[in-house]
Each structure stands twice: as structure tokens, then as C-alpha cells.
Amino acid sequence: MTNDNKLELIRGLGKWSAASIVVGTMIGTGIFLKPAEMAADAGSLLIVLAAWIVGGILSLFGALSFAELGAALPEAGGEYAYLRRGFGPVWGFLFGWMHSVVGRPASAASIAAGLLRFAAFLLPGLAAPIFFARISVPFSHASYVFAFTWAQPCAVVALAALAFINFLGVRAGGRVQIVLTFIKVTSVVAIILLAFTLTRNGGAGFHPFFPLRYSAATFTGFFGALAAALWAYDGWEDLNLVGSEVENPQRNIPRALILGVLFCSAIFMLFSLAAHFVLPCGGVAQSQHVASDVVARISGRSAALWVTLAMVISAFGTLNSSILSGARVPYAMARDGLFFHKTAGIHPRFRTPGGAILFECILASVFALTGTFEELTSLFLFGTWIFYGLAVMAMMRMRRTEPDLPRPYRCWGYPWVPVIFVMGAAALTVALWMARPARSSIGLVLILSGLIFYRHWQRKVHHRVVSAVQ
């Protein structure tokens, strides 16, 4: 039998698969669910639009910086490889640990939770609770009420199904991604056209456009809306995680990243405008299914059912992309001896990191069973944006330490573009900490707990090297 330690991942993702990973991950649950959270935080269309614009600029600046990293270092693991090379092994490990045990499982679980929220519009019984539990919270007079619904075990089924598809091969996952991305983009464009062409007199018409008054609450609302917008934008960096499997990465990674972010920014802005054109700001804020409610207002519930089905397919596409790219980080770490050994294996027939896919699927299932969409997205954002900023700082540092490193693409607007991105990432991280101190602190503790495992695995690698030399 072939030794899977000698196997390597294959470059099976062409330009269309690469582009569909970027667009398909960004256009997912966020665009359909986050407008309600943004409207609730912002209170007016002007602040909502400001959050979309700032979030789009930050994401574009991040994509420009990651395009340079992805073209110069097209390796599995993305930020793991960049931080390891730019700042040293411990920094790469901390990203990989955060990504593997907190960031990607929480992200995949939140996407699955969003998928089942869409499905509950079609099958309301999915939202029915199975049981409630009251949990005492330290330093709080109110107990936390945990509701376990039928949607949570169904989310685990969705995770397992797409993990199996991606186990069968990167080309299979890539083809599925192309089809699902086409369906979701077509659906979003159709909703936008319906909103602006079929809305009769009496539509909300962008009301209220301006805040009733400007105060500290306006600033706080903007940051809340920005955090929600950045969840919708998130996904532009996923292509870097599968850099070792992209064909012609020096050309395809920069092109897919930059054009994908620009395209999605336009789609997000137009969709938000369409929602606020049909529904008042308060109506958007209270909606559990913004796209379905928009179409129901225009064409009735029967049309909304078809749109909701398209949204379910859209969420499947995002979940597929998340699983496809997410498993490459624990695989890359285990290959270096810095993670659980079983996640380093490559299936001899399908040439996929089967152990890493299974590991991520199990953790994501645990998150899906224990958290809600909003809770999971806030935990994900806090952890990942710390390392987005650090990865771009690593890119800037390598410009000085490795000036001769081949760079087929060089970040436009350097050094201002990466500097602004790092400042924005730092501001967002602080704002999330202030807004959700308990959950952010839990995320930070989980990240730093990785140092205990790092020392253990590092000693094992050292002993193995010494034994080989002797």
C-alpha cells in the first residue's frame, strides 16, 4: 500500500474554480442575514451604506495584500505559511491553532446555522425547540437561555454531507462550487432586479435615510454594522488557504482575489439598497429572512418560497467552499509535525486531506450544536481579524527581510494600502472586544491555549530531528 506521507496535494483548481471559491464564499449566508443586524445597529440607511463602503474598502485592501502573498508563496495553509515565514514558527502555529479549533469550525457552523434558518422559512418545524436550558452566567443577574432546536442536528447533517463531497477530491469540490456559485449569483441579481422594477408606490423608498440625531450611539451603531458587513465580506482570503492546489497560482490567485472582491462589493451594495427600497429600515431590522420578505412584499409568499430555496443552495455553496479550504491549515501544520498526526494524511486515491476534513467537520458539528448564528459569527470575526492584520504585517516585513523573493504580483498602493488595512483590523478587533467582552475573551483564551500544545509538538519534532541526525 502506498505510504500517504509521500503523497502531495494536486493542483486541481483552475481559474473558474478559484474565482468561484472567492465569490462563492463571500456571497453566502451573510448577504441574506446580516442586513437585518446592520439595520438594527445603524438605524438609518446612510450608516448602513457607510458600513458597506468601509467594509468593502478594508476587504479590497486585504485582498490586494493577500494577492502578493498568495502569488509569492502559493502554499497550503495560507496565513500559516505567511506568518511562519515572516515572524517565525510560533506565530504561524498560533494562526493555525486559532483557525483549526476556533475560527474555521465556528465559521462553518455559523454558515450551517444560517442555511437552516433559510430552510426554516420553508419548513417552520425546523425552528421548533426540542428543549430549553437555563445557564447561570458569572457576574450577571440574568441567566443565559439555551434553546436546542431541530435545526441544530440538521446543520450537522449538512456539514457531514459536504465534508464527504470534498473528501472525494478537490476537483469534485471545485466543480460543485462552480455550479452553486452560478445559482447563488443569479438568485441575488434576480432579487435586486425584482425589487427595483416591480415595487409599486408605497415602497419604503430608503426611509429613514439619515440618522434622527448624531451621537455616540451613532458611532457605536456604525461599528456594529461594520462588524456585520465584514462577516458578509469574509471569504476573500479563503483561496490562499488552498494555494498549493491552484493552477498557475501566480496569475490566478491575484486575479480571483481582486476581481472577486470588487464584484461582491457591488452585489452587496445593490442588494442592501434593494432591501431598504422595499422595506423600511425597521422592517429590515426585524426580518429573519430579508430576501424572502422582500420578494414576498413584491410578488407574494409563493415567489418567496422559490427565492428561499435558492438561498438554501447559496448557503450550501458557501459551506462547501468553507470545508474545501478550511481543512488545508490543520493538514499543513500536521505535515510540519505541529498538529494532531492523523490530520496529515492524504487519501491515496482521492488525494485529499481526509483526516483534516474529518477533524474540522467534527469540531464544526460541536459548534453547530451549541451556538446560534450571531454568537458564532462574532467569535469567528474576533479571532480571524487579529491574524488577517498580522499576515499583512508579515508581508510588509518580508519586503525588507526577503527583497529577492520572486513576487509575480506586488501589492498596489504599497505601503499605504497594507498600513490602512492593518489599522482597520486593529480598530475592528478592539471594537469587537468592547462590544462582546465575554465571548472575545473566551476566543483569546482558546487561541493562547495553543501554546501548551505547541511546546509539546515542538519537542517531538526536535527529538525526531536529533534521532535522524544520530
Side-chain angles (χ1 to χ4, degrees):
M1 184 175 175
T2 305
N3 185 350
D4 64 7
N5 287 328
K6 295 181 180 179
L7 296 175
E8 296 290 341
L9 300 174
I10 60 172
R11 293 196 180 276
L13 296 172
K15 61 182 180 180
W16 290 109
S17 293
S20 69
I21 287 175
V22 177
V23 175
T25 307
M26 292 178 72
I27 299 179
T29 58
I31 180 57
F32 298 121
L33 296 178
K34 287 300 182 180
E37 188 177 332
M38 294 174 70
D41 286 330
S44 69
L45 180 56
L46 178 64
I47 303 301
V48 168
L49 293 178
W52 280 121
I53 292 169
V54 173
I57 291 172
L58 272 179
S59 299
L60 178 60
F61 284 6
L64 289 167
S65 302
F66 270 60
E68 176 172 322
L69 288 165
L73 302 169
E75 301 178 18
E79 293 98 305
Y80 168 71
Y82 312 150
L83 289 167
R84 184 180 176 86
R85 187 152 176 171
F87 290 130
V90 68
W91 290 98
F93 174 84
L94 280 176
F95 163 77
W97 176 263
M98 179 282 304
H99 180 279
S100 301
V101 304
V102 180
R104 188 45 56 104
S107 174
S110 64
I111 296 167
L115 186 158
L116 268 298
R117 185 181 289 184
F118 298 151
F121 188 85
L122 303 172
L123 302 169
L126 288 172
I130 300 173
F131 66 85
F132 291 96
R134 290 187 177 275
I135 303 171
S136 298
V137 179
F139 311 109
S140 175
H141 297 293
S143 298
Y144 172 74
V145 179
F146 172 71
F148 190 83
T149 68
W150 288 105
Q152 284 152 295
C154 289
V156 173
V157 173
L159 287 164
L162 287 173
F164 177 72
I165 290 174
N166 281 279
F167 178 79
L168 296 179
V170 69
R171 287 195 175 95
R175 293 189 188 105
V176 169
Q177 190 61 33
I178 291 173
V179 174
L180 295 178
T181 298
F182 175 79
I183 293 172
K184 70 172 65 181
V185 170
T186 304
S187 303
V188 175
V189 172
I191 294 170
I192 293 169
L193 293 175
L194 284 172
F196 286 119
T197 58
L198 297 183
T199 301
R200 298 178 178 86
N201 292 335
F206 307 139
H207 179 76
F209 188 84
F210 295 101
L212 296 177
R213 61 179 181 275
Y214 293 92
S215 63
T218 306
F219 184 77
T220 304
F222 166 75
F223 267 102
L226 176 60
L230 288 172
W231 163 257
Y233 278 114
D234 195 77
W236 49 266
E237 79 296 338
D238 273 20
L239 182 62
N240 292 62
L241 300 176
V242 293
S244 62
E245 295 163 271
V246 176
E247 298 173 358
N248 191 11
Q250 292 77 16
R251 180 182 180 86
N252 287 334
I253 289 179
R255 177 178 291 181
L257 279 173
I258 296 167
L259 295 180
V261 170
L262 290 172
F263 175 77
C264 290
S265 296
I267 290 290
F268 291 169
M269 291 283 289
L270 288 171
F271 180 85
S272 188
L273 286 169
H276 283 267
F277 184 67
V278 176
L279 302 172
C281 190
V284 175
Q286 295 172 10
S287 174
Q288 291 290 307
H289 315 89
V290 173
S292 302
D293 289 343
V294 166
V295 175
R297 174 70 66 88
I298 299 169
S299 303
R301 182 174 172 80
S302 58
L305 293 177
W306 286 104
V307 169
T308 305
L309 180 60
M311 288 158 54
V312 171
I313 296 172
S314 170
F316 260 110
T318 302
L319 188 57
N320 179 71
S321 177
S322 181
I323 292 172
L324 188 155
S325 59
R328 272 56 183 177
V329 176
Y331 158 76
M333 294 172 66
R335 181 192 57 192
D336 295 335
L338 295 176
F339 207 65
F340 300 104
H341 174 70
K342 292 294 185 180
T343 60
I346 297 178
H347 193 277
R349 178 183 176 186
F350 302 119
R351 302 291 288 274
T352 52
I357 291 173
L358 179 61
F359 176 83
E360 290 297 306
C361 180
I362 292 172
L363 275 186
S365 298
V366 173
F367 276 86
L369 291 171
T370 57
T372 66
F373 178 77
E374 286 78 14
E375 291 170 336
L376 291 166
T377 55
S378 64
L379 179 60
F380 167 80
L381 281 172
F382 176 77
T384 53
W385 273 82
I386 293 174
F387 288 96
Y388 290 168
L390 287 172
V392 173
M393 290 173 66
M395 181 269 283
M396 298 172 70
R397 188 171 189 272
M398 283 189 284
R399 281 281 191 109
R400 299 194 306 272
T401 59
E402 299 186 58
D404 297 328
L405 176 70
R407 293 177 171 85
Y409 172 84
R410 300 175 76 88
C411 177
W412 175 85
Y414 186 90
W416 298 110
V417 162
V419 166
I420 292 171
F421 178 80
V422 170
M423 292 172 62
L428 176 67
T429 302
V430 172
L432 284 171
W433 183 292
M434 295 174 65
R436 303 176 181 91
R439 186 161 291 273
S440 298
S441 297
I442 291 171
L444 186 60
V445 169
L446 287 173
I447 294 169
L448 294 178
S449 69
L451 292 173
I452 301 171
F453 291 87
Y454 176 74
R455 292 186 64 184
H456 168 70
W457 283 318
Q458 189 183 43
R459 282 197 296 266
K460 290 182 68 174
V461 170
H462 176 72
H463 290 324
R464 199 158 50 238
V465 172
V466 170
S467 299
V469 170
Q470 293 175 345

